[in-house]
């Protein structure tokens, strides 16, 4: 059937659904649902990592292959540095920009190298907002508890306490730099309620929160004249004789030459893994989200945490084809949008945590209550017109201009028609294990932002990532910069590769792939006949 | 509507698209109808490094000029957000060397006046409207430049909230203005200097500094795993 005919049921059942309240699942039901339907529990998608710091731990096969992958760097490579710096930041998203700005502000010399252009990242796409406990009825402790609950009690308490307590001062810093957060009539920050949170706590800049923050931070990086190396992808780290981190080797993507940077400390802010398309899922992530930081740190001996759990955002677009995997912001559900199956029924409390909502959508589809598009994809409805019905005409347009425009380009008016959604691979819950200063177990190697792990436990709460970036970007930047004065530049070697390769050999060699991946292989080769997503 | 198969994740695509002919930087190729302009580049075997970023319509890396069949008008789009159609021709826009002024936003004394020192070309707008026509985000860019010049920073900051900094408004400007950079300065100045300070935020920062939550922290951090889980369950 044609998509318009299928969606009539959403319009027909709207009024009846408005009267319903759907209770949240009991803890036992919620666990059962997740175990049965969440992709994290598909055992066939997982295997143990054969060697390295996390030997024996299970992760998805796509990531295991990259972690066990070999470096493109040979041991005899010329390591004469082209650049020398105190702090080397790798990655130009939110965490990287925050780290660079704070390190620079202390007077340290900073280089920021990034794979694409400055700011081309997941950070620019964050629409839903940033959690900071600013409302009088809220508190950092409540923020802590909500996050723990969302993370299945697995969050690192120390990291989490640091994040929630530093939140308010981060908001102040951003406002001083000119970030335009939405306000109440009295001038105070406007807060929205996000999924899994007990109090309204989301700061927003309409539905452009990440873009607005990134426009400002990028501009500030340029204004501060921080040295940039764009289109430079880190392909290997450097270590001294004690295994401490001393710099990195990049591949310049314009001329394919190697660039060696000597640094007293390195901050990896390379973001997530969406473009690995784990378990065949489409993704909401940017072009460069290929888990590079995980591979680079792992070869240096850094331990990873919670790398068996990923976040599948409940609402990825399923229709139109061009938007597959693109995020439909959670804000729609925060403002009361219903999830509706093919029978016109609601089936989950829309504001439950992401893993619960995603699992229930997968359940609906697997049990035959999904809606199938012409191209064979399956999803459920998100009732967007309901927002205009509830809060008055023009609500969708006013609160979600970015999303309106995205669908309008393909002739869909989401204030009139519901959108079809299915979970999309969205976020890496775990990552490289860090301490409260964002440092790994490898000295002078810091990891900040989505690439790091521990803080979010087994499921990140919406809006906590943007805060994570700012807090741990800052902490890594300040700590790295504070070492610059006393430390001298260590030797540049790739000795860790010898160790890694010996280890690989003992365990039946590397996986045969070269990592990091840098960019996904979307370019169609001669022999292939199909289009990739 | 019922499903036959249990695994809905790895569905093969059922419908094979019709092929259309398009022109990329002057060369003809056949691609499936309706795929995005970026996917068309991949489909025709091109490596895309410059020209793709977020793939979600937010970063402006994929600024593209295109023309549809028999239409003389060259338009602009974001390549990751535009579907190809038969007879379309397009080319990705190379980076444009616009001048960005450098400033320290926090220490500006008179931001509205400083605009004219930082971007002296801004008042020279000749009202040609080319920037507005070039904007893929449908911002009234020309109007924004005027509002900036007349000191209505608030309106500019609202109008340019949609700006993805693709820079397509700059090469077309006959007065050598970079409207997006002017608007960025204006928006930051609006946020940093002309927006009310949120009182509640300062109160919260002070509460944290003064240790108002210390007792609660002590209680929570001393809990056993089970106690903590039970306590979390009571938070509503
Ligand atoms: C569509 C979308 C919506 C979201 N909405 C929200 C939200 O509302 N609230 C929230 O809190 N979170 C949200 N998130 C999550 C959040 O945006 C991300 O987790 C966060 O932006 C990650 O920031 P980062 O700085 O760690 O990584 P990124 O912002 O992804 O930046 C990583 C950077 O590293 C670069 N890089 C990668 N590999 C290399 C390499 N080898 N060498 C050099 N550079 C490299 C990349 O090019 C990029 O510039 C959203 C995410 C997505 C995708
Ligand atoms: S104002 Fe200029 S830079 Fe911003 S989106 Fe429009 S064309 Fe692009
Ligand atoms: S293109 Fe330049 S001159 Fe023309 S309206 Fe825009 S800013 Fe003014
Ligand atoms: S790739 Fe970011 S807007 Fe198209």
């Amino acid at each position: 059937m044609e998509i318009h005919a299928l969606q009539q049921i959403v319009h027909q059942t709207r009024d009846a659904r408005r009267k319903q309240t759907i209770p949240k699942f009991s803890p036992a039901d919620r666990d059962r649902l997740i175990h049965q339907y969440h992709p994290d529990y598909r055992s066939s998608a997982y295997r143990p990592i054969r060697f390295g710091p996390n030997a024996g731990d299970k992760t998805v096969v796509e990531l295991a292959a990259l972690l066990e992958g070999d470096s493109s760097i040979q041991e005899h490579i010329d390591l004469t540095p082209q650049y020398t710096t105190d702090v080397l930041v790798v990655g130009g998203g939110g965490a990287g920009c925050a780290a660079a700005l704070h390190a620079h502000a202390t007077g340290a010399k900073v280089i920021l190298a990034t794979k694409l252009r400055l700011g081309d990242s997941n950070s620019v796409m964050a629409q839903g907002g940033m959690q900071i406990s600013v409302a009088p009825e809220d508190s950092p402790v409540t923020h802590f508890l909500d996050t723990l609950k969302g993370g299945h009690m697995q969050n690192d308490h120390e990291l989490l306490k640091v994040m929630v307590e530093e939140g308010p001062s981060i908001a102040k810093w951003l406002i001083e730099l000119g970030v335009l957060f939405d306000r109440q009539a009295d001038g105070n920050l406007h807060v929205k309620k996000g999924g899994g949170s007990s109090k309204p706590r989301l700061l927003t800049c309409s539905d452009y929160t990440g873009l607005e923050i990134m426009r400002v931070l990028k501009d500030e990086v340029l204004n501060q004249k921080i040295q940039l190396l764009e289109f430079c992808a880190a392909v290997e780290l450097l270590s001294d004789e004690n295994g401490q981190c001393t710099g990195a080797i990049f591949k310049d993507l314009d001329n394919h030459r190697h660039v060696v940077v000597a640094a007293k400390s390195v901050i990896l802010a390379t973001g997530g893994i969406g473009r690995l398309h784990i378990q065949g899922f489409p993704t909401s992530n940017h072009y460069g989200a290929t888990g590079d930081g995980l591979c680079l740190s792992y070869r240096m001996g850094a331990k990873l945490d919670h790398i068996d759990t990923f976040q599948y955002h409940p609402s990825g677009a399923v229709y139109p084809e061009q938007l597959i995997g693109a995020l439909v912001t959670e804000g729609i559900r925060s403002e009361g949008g219903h999830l509706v199956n093919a029978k016109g029924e609601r089936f989950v409390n829309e504001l439950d945590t992401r893993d619960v909502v995603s699992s229930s959508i997968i359940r609906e589809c697997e049990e035959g209550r999904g809606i199938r598009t012409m191209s064979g994809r399956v999803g459920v409805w998100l009732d967007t017109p309901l927002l205009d019905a509830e809060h008055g005409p023009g609500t969708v347009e006013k609160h979600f201009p970015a999303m309106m425009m995205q669908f309008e380009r393909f002739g869909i008016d989401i204030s009139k028609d519901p959108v079809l959604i299915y979970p999309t691979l969205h976020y890496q819950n775990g990552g490289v294990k860090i301490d409260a200063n964002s440092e790994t177990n490898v000295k002078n190697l810091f990891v900040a932002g989505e690439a790091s792990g521990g803080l979010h436990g087994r499921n990140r709460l919406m809006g906590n990532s943007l805060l994570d970036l700012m807090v741990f970007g800052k902490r890594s930047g300040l700590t790295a910069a504070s070492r610059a004065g006393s430390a001298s530049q260590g030797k540049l070697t790739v000795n860790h590769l010898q160790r890694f390769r010996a280890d690989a050999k003992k365990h039946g060699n590397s996986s045969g792939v070269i990592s990091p991946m840098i960019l996904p292989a979307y370019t169609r080769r001669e022999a292939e006949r199909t289009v990739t997503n | 509507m019922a499903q036959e198969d249990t695994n809905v994740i790895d569905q093969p695509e059922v419908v094979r698209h019709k092929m259309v002919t398009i022109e990329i930087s002057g060369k003809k190729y056949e691609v499936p109808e309706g795929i995005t302009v970026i996917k068309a580049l991949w489909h025709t075997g091109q490596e895309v490094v410059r020209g793709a970023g977020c793939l979600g319509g937010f970063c402006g890396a994929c600024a593209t000029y295109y023309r549809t069949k028999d239409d003389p008008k060259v338009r602009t789009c974001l390549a990751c957000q535009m579907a190809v159609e038969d007879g379309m021709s397009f080319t990705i826009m190379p980076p444009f060397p616009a001048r960005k002024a450098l400033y320290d936003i926090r220490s500006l004394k008179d931001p509205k006046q400083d605009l004219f020192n930082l971007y002296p070309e801004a008042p020279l707008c000749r009202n040609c409207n080319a920037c507005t026509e070039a904007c893929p985000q449908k911002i009234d860019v020309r109007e924004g430049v005027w509002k900036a010049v007349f000191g209505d920073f608030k309106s500019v900051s609202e109008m340019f909230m949609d700006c993805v900094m693709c820079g397509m408004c700059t090469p077309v400007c006959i007065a050598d203005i970079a409207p997006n950079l002017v608007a960025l300065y204006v928006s930051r100045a609006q946020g940093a200097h002309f927006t009310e300070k949120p009182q509640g935020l300062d109160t919260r920062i002070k509460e944290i500094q003064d240790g108002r939550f210390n007792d609660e922290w002590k209680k929570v951090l001393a809990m056993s795993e089970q106690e903590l889980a039970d306590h979390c369950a009571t938070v509503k």
Side-chain angles (χ1 to χ4, degrees), chain A residues 90-96 113-117 119-131 202 209 232-235 250 269-272 284-286 288-290 292-293 296 327 329 354 426-427 448-451 460-467 469 516 518:
Chain A
V90 184
T114 190
K115 182 153 74 173
L116 299 162
R117 304 175 315 167
D120 293 350
S121 62
N122 279 359
S123 299
V124 284
M125 289 192 279
Q127 289 181 276
M130 172 166 181
Q131 296 238 22
L202 277 174
T209 314
C232 277
V235 291
F250 294 86
T270 48
S284 61
N285 284 192
H286 85 287
T290 48
D292 297 2
L296 295 171
L327 201 69
T329 172
R354 288 183 173 169
H426 186 56
Y427 187 80
E450 189 167 340
R460 173 186 62 105
L461 217 54
M462 120 174 248
N464 266 344
S465 176
L466 285 178
L467 181 57
L469 311 182
I518 303 179

Side-chain angles (χ1 to χ4, degrees), chain A residues 291-303:
Chain A
D292 297 2
L294 298 181
C295 305
L296 295 171
S297 320
Y298 196 70
R299 284 207 284 265
M300 279 283 275
K303 188 142 171 71

Side-chain angles (χ1 to χ4, degrees), chain B residues 197-211:
Chain B
K197 301 281 165 270
Q199 301 292 325
L201 178 61
D202 288 334
T203 311
R204 178 51 44 83
I205 292 174
K206 189 151 186 325
E207 285 173 348
I208 293 173
Q209 279 164 355
D210 295 348

Side-chain angles (χ1 to χ4, degrees), chain A residues 39 178 198 272:
Chain A
S198 63

